[in-house]
Amino acid sequence: MKRTVLVSGGAGYIGSHVSVELSQAGYDVIIADDMSNCDDTNYKGVCRITGKEIPFYRMDFCDMDAVSRLFASEKIDAVIHFAAFKAVGESVAEPLKYYRNNLCSFMNILQASRDAGGCNVLFSSSATVYGQASRLPVTEESPRLPATSPYGNTKQICEDMLRDSVAAYKGIKGISLRYFNPIGAHPSALIGELPRGVPNNLVPYITQTAIGKREVLSIFGNDYPTPDGTCLRDYIDIVDLAKAHVCTVSRMLGSGMEDDYEIFNIGTGRPVSVLELVKGFERVNGLKLNYRFAPRRPGDVTAIWADPSKAERAMGWKAERSLDETLASAWAWEKHLAANK
């Protein structure tokens, strides 16, 4: 029996890659997105890669009536929630924008799931919930420290909302996946990260600088207590990350869950510095980037990387693609965009 998975925010960066992997794994996928932070490039790319016309709803998940209508019109076995604002720096400058959108949209998903008699809910969480961890790598048992940004705080609050809803409402099961730093693009170069305006994430700024769209790349802070003075992160290939969702949905829809609410880290377990990533991009793609060091950015932590062993033990998932492959795919995607303006 085929199962249907709703992907909120499915026209965005992570959502589009997850939609591809779910479809190719045999699930019926429904994409819903308000298109506030993307155009239809990735949605069209998903359809091309899969060879299917994926059902699409243009809607705002902060609109409870729209969410209720969607759940009433489709039989949804699981929902993966990506529809949220995600820029750390912007959240510091505009906290109310982030609290209103990120919390309201997920609350509506949970209410619709309850009203429908239950649903499997996979929440797109983040390593930001760990804050500036005192011990690395972080495990799922590491304490959630006070968030260093409103964005990170919305992830903590949404995790709590899911945990409490699972405990209170019959039929709702939930899993939070704590992502580390997704980068790269699909090997086809038909979908990838496509920020509107000035990128907030590192790799699209790198590729836009390499292609000449940005004059200079700023590396925020070179005085951190790390080997080269720049922040340490756990960069995970977007396709590896997407495949983790297929494993998770299978676990939710089968009989694999040990508890009705579970948490998994999704990362590589390998720390890479910002400067190391920049130099790796240059090496892999035979390019020289114009970059400079800038003051530290509010909300950034010094270092964070995962212990992803729980996901491997429980779901048989682990990151497989090399950083070189990932950085090559990011550049291929940027060149595809430039060639198809």
Side-chain angles (χ1 to χ4, degrees):
M1 180 180 66
K2 275 210 168 186
R3 299 296 192 97
T4 299
V5 182
L6 168 64
V7 184
S8 78
Y13 175 44
I14 302 177
S16 60
H17 287 80
V18 169
S19 296
V20 165
E21 297 301 323
L22 285 169
S23 179
Q24 291 181 334
Y27 293 97
D28 287 332
V29 176
I30 298 168
I31 291 176
D33 203 301
D34 69 357
M35 310 301 281
S36 63
N37 197 37
C38 62
D39 58 24
D40 63 0
T41 300
N42 278 334
Y43 172 70
K44 289 179 177 178
V46 170
C47 295
R48 284 185 63 187
I49 294 167
T50 62
K52 301 173 185 176
E53 194 65 28
I54 305 292
F56 176 81
Y57 289 81
R58 183 163 187 165
M59 56 176 285
D60 180 357
F61 279 86
C62 288
D63 180 346
M64 186 64 224
D65 289 339
V67 178
S68 295
R69 287 194 299 270
L70 174 57
F71 272 73
S73 64
E74 301 280 0
K75 184 184 182 307
I76 298 168
D77 296 294
V79 55
I80 304 177
H81 184 61
F82 295 110
F85 297 146
K86 62 177 186 177
V88 170
E90 183 185 51
S91 79
V92 174
E94 298 189 61
L96 294 181
K97 173 182 177 180
Y98 274 67
Y99 287 121
R100 183 178 298 111
N101 182 75
N102 293 7
L103 302 184
C104 180
S105 62
F106 193 49
M107 193 179 306
N108 289 345
I109 288 278
L110 293 170
Q111 181 172 327
S113 298
R114 181 200 65 185
D115 294 346
C119 192
N120 298 280
V121 181
L122 196 169
F123 176 58
S124 160
S125 192
S126 165
T128 57
V129 302
Y130 295 115
Q132 181 61 72
S134 58
R135 295 184 64 180
L136 294 168
V138 290
T139 73
E140 291 81 359
E141 302 303 317
S142 297
R144 290 190 330 181
L145 299 178
T148 59
S149 69
Y151 164 75
N153 201 26
T154 67
K155 292 298 186 184
Q156 292 186 347
I157 295 170
C158 285
E159 283 191 359
D160 294 343
M161 288 165 57
L162 179 55
R163 179 202 63 209
D164 294 344
S165 296
V166 166
Y169 306 126
K170 185 178 179 180
I172 296 182
K173 292 192 295 184
I175 293 180
S176 292
L177 295 186
R178 292 174 176 170
Y179 312 151
F180 283 70
N181 289 71
I183 60 171
H186 193 268
S188 67
L190 292 174
I191 57 175
E193 191 165 6
L194 185 59
R196 283 190 170 174
V198 179
N200 287 296
N201 293 336
L202 176 60
V203 170
Y205 213 113
I206 287 174
T207 59
Q208 289 189 12
T209 303
I211 206 91
K213 190 173 181 179
R214 305 290 164 194
E215 183 179 350
V216 61
L217 167 70
S218 293
I219 296 176
F220 297 104
N222 65 339
D223 58 349
Y224 286 97
T226 62
D228 62 19
T230 66
C231 292
L232 292 172
R233 295 290 183 267
D234 187 334
Y235 295 101
I236 179 169
D237 186 274
I238 187 63
V239 175
D240 279 337
L241 181 84
K243 288 180 177 178
H245 293 73
V246 178
C247 295
T248 306
V249 168
S250 175
R251 181 176 179 84
M252 297 176 82
L253 296 180
S255 56
M257 291 182 67
E258 296 176 4
D259 297 297
D260 287 343
Y261 177 62
E262 297 179 334
I263 298 168
F264 295 97
N265 285 337
I266 304 298
T268 68
R270 179 191 169 213
V272 175
S273 77
V274 172
L275 187 59
E276 184 181 352
L277 191 80
V278 170
K279 290 184 177 295
F281 180 86
E282 291 180 322
R283 175 181 52 77
V284 168
N285 296 301
L287 299 166
K288 291 299 292 182
L289 291 168
N290 181 27
Y291 66 86
R292 68 185 177 195
F293 294 108
R296 295 186 184 190
R297 185 172 57 179
D300 282 343
V301 300
T302 300
I304 188 78
W305 68 91
D307 175 349
S309 59
K310 181 182 175 183
E312 183 173 3
R313 288 194 308 272
M315 301 191 291
W317 174 88
K318 64 177 180 179
E320 296 178 345
R321 289 173 63 82
S322 71
L323 185 59
D324 284 5
E325 288 177 287
T326 304
L327 294 173
S329 74
W331 181 228
W333 162 245
E334 189 67 55
K335 290 187 290 184
H336 169 81
L337 290 175
N340 290 275
K341 283 184 178 178

